[in-house]
Amino acid sequence: MHELAVAQALVEQVDAVIRQHGATHASLIRVRIGPLAGVVPELLASAFPLAAAGSRMEHAELDLVAAPVRVRCQTCGVETEAAMNSLICGACGDWHTQVISGDELLLESIELETTSSLPPES
Amino acid sequence: MCDTCGCNLTPGNKHLAFKPVAKGATAVSVLKGLLAKNDDQATHNREHFDRRGILAINLMSSPGSGKTALLEATLTALKDEFTCAVIEGDLETENDAERIRAKGVQAHQIVTGTACHLDAHLVHDALHHMKLDGVDILFIENVGNLVCPASFDLGQHFNVTLLSVTEGDDKPAKYPVMFRAADAMLLTKTDLLAVLDDFDPDKAEAHLRNLANPAPVMQLSARKDLGMDAWLGWLREQLAAQRARVALGQSRRPAIQSDGVKYHSATSPTPPSPGGAQSHATRASS
């Protein structure tokens, strides 16, 4: 149950971006999570409102994007999907692989609202 | 990774930065690890260690798998050779730190209250309560937990994960995040193997390899002084390697932590958001 700590870290980061851009609040927060990050998306989703209460993102939608587990084989070079507890190469079965997706815990993007009526430049 | 100049945008992840948004709103691409603040603190801790030539080892396992007993035996064996120090993490009590101090070794207890893991900030605070000058090896005994501690870099150079033979040889398959993070796996309490017919050390190792983890596996019993030589030898080897790195101004991170992000950009399978001919985005740089 370390998801609350992760949610608090998320709120701090989003708050920094809000400040940096002079925005009033965030409306959408997109986070990419792989199963190997050790963070359960559902638990993060329920911890987020607690961490965000009273902040400039308390009404923001939290969009959690699931990242698939993929490995690249160092022996045969093929990239395959893998299960989180079996990271062996799906082509040749070797265990000398490198995880290329599935362990990320990444704040991808944020949609910010500004009080200014200026439309974004095109 | 930099979040100010936009250099974290690559051809692989650029589509994430361009997304149609409502009028008056701005989409900002961040692409930063969620635990970046913890990781920054961990990097700072690691600099503390490297400046003093200290080897920092993070011990992780389930509760009761023998971390403190291993430390007691290790500290006794190394007492004439190296100066060691220990940070203990537990939800409550000073018990483990007292066991270490009874060995004449400096120990600081972190009482986490209800928190299920140590983080880099807790460790940093602990470091300020310790005398680090002259310390060769710092052991950080994490909260007994096979889940949460794996996600937090503390500034250590190595993760050592213990698996006691009373727990079942399929633990690496059940807790892949933890065992994938191990730079060494210790099978502990092996004196009990004689009376346990359902723990196969080879199977435990095979489950670890299934996680694409090449970490050495050592079998030992701290209580019965079995197999300790391999572990102590590994520690001596890593301390020598740490000193060689420090002499060259280099450092080392645990095998898997924080190496992931750089591989993700080129293979991100998320399709661009559909709809909207015009896309606007403000990069983190603007």
Side-chain angles (χ1 to χ4, degrees):
Chain A
M1 266 310 289
H2 54 302
E3 279 77 4
L4 184 57
V6 175
Q8 284 165 338
L10 171 64
V11 167
E12 275 184 47
Q13 274 202 18
V14 173
D15 204 51
V17 176
I18 292 173
R19 255 183 286 124
Q20 197 183 337
H21 289 263
T24 52
H25 58 278
S27 52
L28 186 140
I29 301 166
R30 181 166 293 119
V31 172
R32 187 175 174 83
I33 305 182
L36 290 167
V39 170
V40 183
E42 291 79 5
L43 295 180
L44 182 59
S46 43
F48 177 73
L50 300 175
S55 73
R56 288 181 285 189
M57 67 206 77
E58 67 177 338
H59 301 300
E61 180 192 339
L62 183 63
D63 181 16
L64 300 175
V65 182
V69 179
R70 290 187 66 81
V71 297
R72 182 184 297 137
C73 183
Q74 290 168 344
T75 305
C76 74
V78 175
E79 283 183 24
T80 49
E81 294 251 346
M84 71 181 286
N85 65 359
S86 182
L87 300 173
I88 57 175
C89 174
C92 74
D94 199 313
W95 62 264
H96 294 90
T97 63
Q98 191 160 38
V99 170
I100 53 172
S101 165
D103 62 350
E104 54 271 74
L105 181 59
L106 204 61
L107 173 56
E108 265 189 5
S109 62
I110 307 171
E111 281 181 28
L112 299 174
E113 301 279 340
T114 48
T115 44
S116 137
S117 56
L118 286 174
E121 293 168 47
S122 42
Chain B
M1 192 160 65
C2 164
D3 65 343
T4 51
C5 75
C7 66
N8 54 6
L9 291 177
T10 69
N13 65 25
K14 202 169 59 182
H15 61 274
L16 300 168
F18 299 96
K19 181 188 175 304
V21 293
K23 206 175 173 186
T26 312
V28 179
S29 171
V30 185
L31 296 173
K32 198 173 176 187
L34 225 51
L35 295 173
K37 207 172 166 196
N38 181 76
D39 294 347
D40 289 347
Q41 180 66 67
T43 301
H44 175 76
N45 292 352
R46 202 171 282 118
E47 285 164 3
H48 267 299
F49 302 140
D50 292 339
R51 208 176 305 134
R52 293 178 170 85
I54 297 173
L55 173 69
I57 306 242
N58 178 28
L59 294 174
M60 298 187 285
S61 76
S62 336
S65 62
K67 292 185 294 299
T68 315
L70 173 72
L71 279 177
E72 287 172 319
T74 304
L75 298 171
T76 302
L78 295 179
K79 71 175 188 297
D80 297 328
E81 211 173 328
F82 304 122
T83 301
C84 297
V86 177
I87 293 175
E88 289 284 347
D90 280 296
L91 270 62
E92 273 301 340
T93 84
E94 189 92 1
N95 295 355
D96 281 2
E98 280 163 10
R99 281 171 65 180
I100 300 301
R101 287 181 199 125
K103 296 285 172 191
V105 170
Q106 180 188 187
H108 181 83
Q109 179 80 48
I110 299 175
V111 177
T112 63
T114 53
C116 47
H117 60 274
L118 296 179
D119 66 23
H121 299 280
L122 288 171
V123 169
H124 185 253
D125 291 346
L127 294 177
H128 282 287
H129 290 99
M130 303 182 79
K131 291 193 187 79
L132 293 177
D133 290 334
V135 169
D136 298 304
I137 306 178
L138 174 74
F139 293 99
I140 303 168
E141 182 181 334
N142 218 311
V143 177
N145 178 343
L146 279 181
V147 184
C148 313
S151 299
F152 295 85
D153 187 1
L154 308 177
Q156 74 276 23
H157 301 103
F158 287 93
N159 288 324
V160 173
T161 304
L162 282 68
L163 169 56
S164 67
V165 299
T166 54
E167 291 174 67
D169 52 26
D170 59 351
K171 275 285 156 74
K174 286 179 173 168
Y175 297 88
V177 178
M178 170 61 69
F179 284 92
R180 193 174 156 253
D183 294 290
M185 179 168 85
L186 304 184
L187 301 181
T188 61
K189 309 187 188 184
T190 51
D191 53 306
L192 298 176
L193 277 176
V195 291
L196 295 168
D197 55 6
D198 55 353
F199 189 100
D200 181 346
D202 291 339
K203 275 191 191 157
E205 182 166 344
H207 284 302
L208 183 73
R209 301 296 172 235
N210 272 345
L211 302 175
N213 190 337
V217 178
M218 291 169 257
Q219 302 186 28
L220 56 84
S221 165
R223 281 285 165 84
K224 305 287 182 200
D225 195 17
L226 301 170
M228 287 293 287
D229 285 347
W231 159 242
L232 296 172
W234 184 86
L235 283 174
R236 288 186 190 100
E237 200 179 298
Q238 299 313 331
L239 179 59
Q242 167 68 358
R243 286 174 173 164
R245 277 191 298 270
V246 167
L248 295 170
Q250 296 170 349
S251 190
R252 180 196 197 279
R253 307 173 79 102
I256 66 131
Q257 271 162 351
S258 306
D259 77 341
V261 171
K262 61 180 176 283
Y263 302 114
H264 298 141
S265 51
T267 54
S268 176
T270 306
S273 300
Q278 276 292 81
S279 296
H280 290 286
T282 307
R283 295 203 309 204
S285 57
S286 58

